[in-house]
Amino acid sequence: KSESRILPLNCMNIECLFYHKNNNKYLIACKDQLINQESSLRHIFSLDKSNLSQPEIEFTIDLNEINTVFKKNYSGITAKIITLNPSSISVHPITGDIYVLSASNRLLAIYEYNQLKNVYPLAEELFYKPEGISFGKNGDMFISTEGNKKGYVGGQIHYFKWKN
């Protein structure tokens, strides 16, 4: 049996959906800012499985904060303004950290207790367009990338072994 719902989100571009089984809720990421809202903010919503019609803001991605952390940690990388538009979201099975992947500017942001922990640039040579992130039960991470539509680069899945 399938069921359809229209969520009351002020978002035109929902890019990711993740079921967080430990919290029994869904995480929903808007790729762009909310309609008629601040352009430097992206929102991650949560939706409790027992109440599928009342999404709440779980946390907010502040692009100004992303840029501050990026410039502090990667001062050697000359980059204009960094944009993080979520393309995928997942929760690390061991740490509980929320990983937000962005195909825009090829970034990975990690949130601990809904606070930005770190931002990592992903090498353009390896990550043509990172669009998916997932974890194995043991914490190993997988990132999938789209291929170039002209066939220059095929889609790939990158594997990262978890080391605690």
Side-chain angles (χ1 to χ4, degrees):
K1 172 183 165 185
S2 67
E3 184 178 322
S4 176
R5 295 205 185 242
I6 297 176
L7 296 176
L9 296 174
N10 197 17
C11 175
M12 292 298 293
N13 196 351
I14 295 173
E15 189 75 8
C16 2
L17 174 67
F18 175 82
Y19 179 64
H20 191 332
K21 67 180 178 180
N22 293 349
N23 293 348
N24 206 30
K25 63 183 175 181
Y26 295 93
L27 295 176
I28 302 164
C30 290
K31 185 175 182 179
D32 302 316
Q33 75 267 16
L34 300 181
I35 298 170
N36 297 323
Q37 299 293 317
E38 177 63 43
S39 64
S40 66
L41 302 178
R42 305 293 181 266
H43 297 284
I44 306 298
F45 290 89
S46 63
L47 186 62
D48 192 288
K49 193 174 178 185
S50 64
N51 186 0
L52 294 176
S53 51
Q54 289 297 327
E56 297 179 4
I57 293 177
E58 182 76 12
F59 66 93
T60 300
I61 297 170
D62 183 337
L63 298 184
N64 296 319
E65 181 183 27
I66 295 286
N67 277 277
T68 298
V69 170
F70 188 88
K71 288 176 184 172
K72 176 184 167 203
N73 294 344
Y74 304 99
S75 59
I77 298 176
T78 55
K80 53 188 182 310
I81 302 297
I82 299 298
T83 301
L84 189 144
N85 295 325
S87 57
S88 188
I89 188 170
S90 192
V91 176
H92 194 281
I94 297 171
T95 66
D97 292 346
I98 298 173
Y99 284 59
V100 181
L101 187 64
S102 175
S104 304
N105 292 130
R106 295 173 189 87
L107 296 174
L108 178 63
I110 301 174
Y111 287 82
E112 179 179 36
Y113 304 113
N114 299 341
Q115 300 295 314
L116 182 62
K117 185 176 179 179
N118 211 337
V119 179
Y120 297 96
L122 302 174
E124 181 178 358
E125 298 80 17
L126 296 174
F127 299 92
Y128 172 71
K129 197 171 181 185
E131 291 283 346
I133 186 167
S134 186
F135 293 96
K137 289 180 183 180
N138 65 350
D140 291 351
M141 181 173 64
F142 301 86
I143 295 178
S144 64
T145 65
E146 282 186 7
N148 178 294
K149 303 294 188 245
K150 296 179 181 176
Y152 302 129
V153 179
Q156 300 174 345
I157 296 176
H158 299 273
Y159 165 76
F160 301 88
K161 185 161 182 58
W162 170 251
K163 294 181 184 178
N164 38 334

